[in-house]
Amino acid sequence: MGDEPFAVLLPDDVIPALAQMVGAHTTQGGHMIATEEVPANRISSYGVVDIARQQGAVQALRGLVEKPKAEDAPSRFGIVGRYILEPSIFDGLVSQKPGSGGEIQLTDAIASDLRTAGVNGFAFDGERFDCGSVPGYLEATIAFALDRPELCNGVSQFFAARSTGNLRAA
């Protein structure tokens, strides 16, 4: 990486965030993490941001916590699979102690760099698909198929036939 910021994309999250984040990062600097408002009953599955202030999509952060209980969460904005990180993150990862689940957590390393590098959340515009589960993967596949003119009619016909029990021969 040298001295340049770099992107990290977690493959189980399909989201249109990175291009938006790159634009914001050029003016903000520091670490930048994609965020999304999540339901309270799912908040303990996410790293969660503590937002000091928000201007547009950019959230100036005062902290991050990995997988808090819903009642302890500083906000409802969870961290989702896109990051723009400064090279200083590697120093934080080397000295990071195991956190949630007994694992080295990227969220904890980013939080330890909050005062030196700065950290912003980015509430991206667009739909997120969590492909880390079979239902999420299927939702993404169907949504993308329905968005493509050459696939939309066939997929729609399949669902219509399936819902009425009139499956056509394959």
Side-chain angles (χ1 to χ4, degrees):
M1 306 309 147
D3 293 331
E4 298 294 321
F6 60 95
V8 174
L9 290 74
L10 302 185
D12 59 341
D13 274 324
V14 177
I15 53 179
L18 192 58
Q20 297 170 48
M21 292 171 67
V22 167
H25 185 267
T26 58
T27 59
Q28 300 296 319
H31 302 303
M32 183 167 280
I33 53 181
T35 66
E36 177 183 62
E37 192 167 358
V38 297
N41 66 340
R42 297 278 303 134
I43 204 78
S44 64
S45 298
Y46 291 85
V48 179
V49 296
D50 185 1
I51 303 167
R53 66 188 175 289
Q54 184 163 345
Q55 183 172 0
V58 178
Q59 303 161 324
L61 303 183
R62 72 179 141 241
L64 308 107
V65 60
E66 183 64 27
K67 299 179 180 164
K69 294 178 183 173
E71 61 271 16
D72 297 331
S75 77
R76 294 263 311 275
F77 280 88
I79 300 168
V80 295
R82 298 295 181 270
Y83 305 80
I84 298 176
L85 301 173
E86 298 293 332
S88 61
I89 194 67
F90 292 114
D91 296 329
L93 286 169
V94 166
S95 61
Q96 193 63 49
K97 303 249 187 287
S100 179
E103 301 173 339
I104 303 290
Q105 296 289 338
L106 179 58
T107 301
D108 295 339
I110 294 169
S112 70
D113 217 7
L114 188 72
R115 289 177 189 21
T116 53
V119 182
N120 289 296
F122 190 86
F124 65 93
D125 182 35
E127 189 172 11
R128 170 181 170 247
F129 295 97
D130 181 354
C131 295
S133 68
V134 172
Y137 174 77
L138 291 172
E139 288 171 7
T141 302
I142 293 164
F144 286 118
L146 291 173
D147 285 346
R148 293 182 59 178
E150 72 274 19
L151 299 175
C152 182
N153 286 339
V155 171
S156 296
Q157 289 172 4
F158 169 79
F159 282 116
R162 182 76 180 192
S163 68
T164 61
N166 294 326
L167 289 179
R168 58 192 153 110

